[in-house]
Amino acid sequence: MGPEEIWRRLRQWPRGLSVDQRTQVRRTLEACRTIFNAPRIVLAWEEHEEPWLIVASLLDDSFGWAEEEPERYAPLVDPALAAVSFYATGSSFCVIDGDAPRVETPIHDELRKTFGMHEVLSTPLKGESIAGRLFIVGPRDVPEYMLLVADLVGLLVERSMDFTVSIRTASHQAVQEERIRVARDLHDGLLQSFTGVVLQLETIHSLIDTQPAEARRVITDIQGLIMRDQRELRVYVEQLRPRRRIDVPFDFHARIEELRLRFEKQWGIRVAFEFANIDPLVAKSLGSETFRLIQEAVTNSAKHGGASYVRVKVSTSDSRISIEVADDGSGFPFHGRMTLDKIRESGIGPSMLAERVAALNGDLAVESSGTGATVKISVPLGISGAS
């Protein structure tokens, strides 16, 4: 395969991006397979905000996707080769510039055996949001310039993955910002109106015995206000709903059990959950938000704190849900106590978790030491009305 054919195939690199990450990754692997005329392509990467190593593979029409603990294939390649593209076959390999360093095992042995990497062309991925490697397994023709082509394709894959992660992150942020906006609109409009209704109801107590006719008039006025607010709320909800859809219930307890098993299996971490006096609203309307908060906090314990045991307590009272996550890890990069405002201002500590909590109009406090960390979250149950 000559250079002209390579450039022709490169020009066919897929345009546009898919919002679904798996679809985008599959399209990328198919393009790589075409360019290098290889039977199998393997892409392994970590996202900076996620604790998993994702390994996607394409063999003929079989597409595989697995989320592994990072240690399983760490390091993907020998550290001496981490920053370069290389071609390995058997016990020999070459790089673009200069002599290849002396290494006994260029590719992680289990990774090589799992995906049959006897002859492989590999290039690093060092994006803003992801880091990993692309492996072209069994390429049909590998002239010297193919290492340069691998470098170029690595950049294309890198940009594609970065954009996909950025789109997903931006979508999450947009949803959070929309929730804050809706909550603010409700507070400034309907909720203030309800406060006025409560004040009017208080005046009835002083009128009902001495001026019953006036009390009846006030009650009639209040009924009119409530009916008006009902209509306004109905219109507001319809504006938020671009199309009618069937809502699939969020199985909160099933997702929590999945989370516990996943951390136990992939991180070797024991996670204990304690639920007390849980308002039905949590499972019905706040299940997704509550689950994400717990997931983010436990992920911090696993990824950054190196914990072996995490205890999660969830309870509701006074129209609020309280979440406490305590671990036996190494804590955050500070010792002592930090509040939500301090974390958002300094960027130190669980900043992503702080943004999630802030988006729900909640509160957060973190106590950190060298022997573990405790995260306490409080979120108003009423925020579900803004989702």
Side-chain angles (χ1 to χ4, degrees):
M1 181 167 52
E4 291 184 1
E5 176 62 18
I6 289 292
W7 305 141
R8 186 188 69 78
R9 294 183 181 187
L10 280 171
R11 285 196 296 271
Q12 295 177 358
W13 186 264
R15 302 302 199 264
L17 293 171
S18 171
V19 176
D20 181 73
Q21 188 180 37
R22 295 195 185 202
T23 299
Q24 182 62 33
V25 169
R26 179 163 188 161
R27 290 174 59 191
T28 299
L29 298 190
E30 288 172 345
C32 292
R33 182 176 61 182
T34 299
I35 291 170
F36 293 98
N37 193 21
R40 169 175 276 169
I41 307 294
V42 178
L43 180 61
W45 79 95
E46 288 186 70
E47 296 176 14
H48 299 333
E49 298 298 332
E50 298 294 338
W52 323 111
L53 172 73
I54 303 176
V55 182
S57 62
L58 184 68
L59 176 62
D60 297 326
D61 290 328
S62 177
F63 177 67
W65 181 286
E67 295 179 3
E68 308 283 358
E69 55 182 276
E71 289 76 15
R72 179 174 181 181
Y73 298 130
L76 294 171
V77 300
D78 188 282
L81 301 171
V84 300
S85 296
F86 64 83
Y87 173 67
T89 175
S91 58
S92 63
F93 62 96
C94 60
V95 297
I96 294 179
D97 297 318
D99 297 329
R102 294 181 177 275
V103 297
E104 294 184 3
T105 309
I107 301 171
H108 190 280
D109 194 52
E110 185 179 354
L111 181 68
R112 181 182 59 80
K113 291 177 180 178
T114 300
F115 294 99
M117 296 183 182
H118 304 297
E119 183 179 3
V120 60
L121 184 62
S122 178
T123 189
L125 308 176
K126 299 170 288 184
E128 295 181 3
S129 303
I130 62 105
R133 289 197 75 93
L134 176 68
F135 298 92
I136 298 96
V137 183
R140 297 286 186 263
D141 187 19
V142 190
E144 197 170 306
Y145 60 79
M146 289 300 280
L147 283 169
L148 293 172
V149 175
D151 263 357
L152 176 58
V153 170
L155 288 174
L156 292 173
V157 175
E158 195 177 281
R159 295 298 182 267
S160 172
M161 298 294 292
D162 267 343
F163 283 134
T164 303
V165 173
S166 297
I167 289 172
R168 188 176 72 242
T169 302
S171 298
H172 290 167
Q173 291 174 345
V175 170
Q176 292 173 352
E177 291 171 1
E178 180 67 5
R179 283 178 177 150
I180 294 174
R181 183 191 68 79
V182 171
R184 186 181 300 116
D185 288 348
L186 289 173
H187 178 270
D188 293 343
L190 293 173
L191 296 183
Q192 288 190 357
S193 177
F194 291 158
T195 301
V197 167
V198 172
L199 292 176
Q200 284 186 287
L201 287 172
E202 291 177 354
T203 66
I204 295 176
H205 292 289
S206 61
L207 296 173
I208 198 164
D209 292 329
T210 59
Q211 303 179 56
E214 179 63 17
R216 284 194 294 271
R217 187 193 66 78
V218 174
I219 291 174
T220 301
D221 290 344
I222 291 173
Q223 288 176 329
L225 286 173
I226 292 175
M227 292 176 65
R228 185 202 67 189
D229 288 340
Q230 284 178 329
R231 289 193 297 271
E232 183 180 338
L233 180 58
R234 190 175 297 113
V235 171
Y236 193 74
V237 170
E238 288 299 324
Q239 290 175 344
L240 294 174
R241 186 182 300 154
R243 62 183 182 276
R244 294 189 179 277
R245 64 183 188 274
I246 299 175
D247 290 326
V248 178
F250 184 89
D251 195 336
F252 176 70
H253 290 286
R255 292 296 301 276
I256 286 293
E257 179 63 10
E258 289 176 5
L259 183 69
R260 184 187 68 79
L261 293 174
R262 184 176 185 181
F263 274 93
E264 180 179 343
K265 177 182 178 182
Q266 296 186 335
W267 286 81
I269 293 176
R270 190 160 60 93
V271 184
F273 289 94
E274 298 178 24
F275 298 95
N277 303 320
I278 302 298
D279 191 299
L281 180 64
V282 173
K284 183 178 180 182
S285 304
L286 275 177
S288 179
E289 287 85 353
T290 304
F291 174 79
R292 293 300 177 192
L293 293 174
I294 293 172
Q295 181 186 43
E296 183 77 22
V298 176
T299 296
N300 285 333
S301 296
K303 186 173 184 179
H304 303 297
S308 61
Y309 175 75
V310 182
R311 187 190 74 249
V312 181
K313 293 182 177 180
V314 183
S315 62
T316 55
S317 64
D318 300 326
S319 298
R320 298 184 74 85
I321 179 169
S322 298
I323 303 169
E324 180 179 312
V325 180
D327 65 55
D328 63 355
S330 57
F332 291 96
F334 67 89
H335 287 178
R337 187 175 187 275
M338 289 191 74
T339 62
L340 176 67
D341 291 340
K342 288 183 179 179
I343 292 172
R344 297 183 74 193
E345 180 180 344
S346 66
I348 299 174
S351 56
M352 290 294 292
L353 181 61
E355 293 304 322
R356 287 186 185 276
V357 173
L360 294 170
N361 288 346
D363 199 8
L364 170 72
V366 179
E367 294 181 5
S368 175
S369 70
T371 57
T374 299
V375 176
K376 294 182 179 180
I377 301 167
S378 176
V379 173
L381 292 177
I383 195 67
S384 63
S387 59

